[in-house]
Amino acid sequence: MNPDGTGRVQLTFGAHAEFPQFSPNGRIVAFFGNVGFYPYGIYLVKSKGGTPIFLVENSYYLDRRTLSSSPDGSKLAFTCPPSGGIC
């Protein structure tokens, strides 16, 4: 989206999506949600739009609020309760 609010692109349709995280270069958005018949988990979608790609199913061990990208955008990280480790 442009600073003036024009040029908005809807990235998900018929999906539950939350806790988005842009890659460092801004080309990819990682988010938690569910798309179609795929389970709730982590997905990737291009920031200009496209079909979300399912990565991993959510479980008790994925902390949605801590989703983060590595500096080069090649990896995702999040905390894994109850141990508090990093996945």
Side-chain angles (χ1 to χ4, degrees):
M1 178 170 79
N2 299 317
D4 65 359
T6 62
R8 289 181 285 175
V9 175
Q10 186 170 340
L11 300 178
T12 61
F13 297 86
H16 172 79
E18 58 187 355
F19 303 103
Q21 174 69 43
F22 277 91
S23 64
N25 64 12
R27 293 183 191 160
I28 302 290
V29 178
F31 66 93
F32 278 87
N34 67 311
V35 177
F37 294 104
Y38 288 100
Y40 188 87
I42 299 175
Y43 291 80
L44 299 178
V45 66
K46 292 179 181 178
S47 60
K48 293 189 177 195
T51 302
I53 299 168
F54 176 70
L55 289 183
V56 64
E57 186 172 353
N58 185 45
S59 72
Y60 173 77
Y61 298 104
L62 304 183
D63 187 344
R64 300 181 304 255
R65 297 165 294 163
T66 62
L67 185 61
S68 183
S69 180
S70 64
D72 68 358
S74 66
K75 295 177 177 59
L76 292 174
F78 42 89
T79 57
C80 303
S83 69
I86 297 174
C87 297

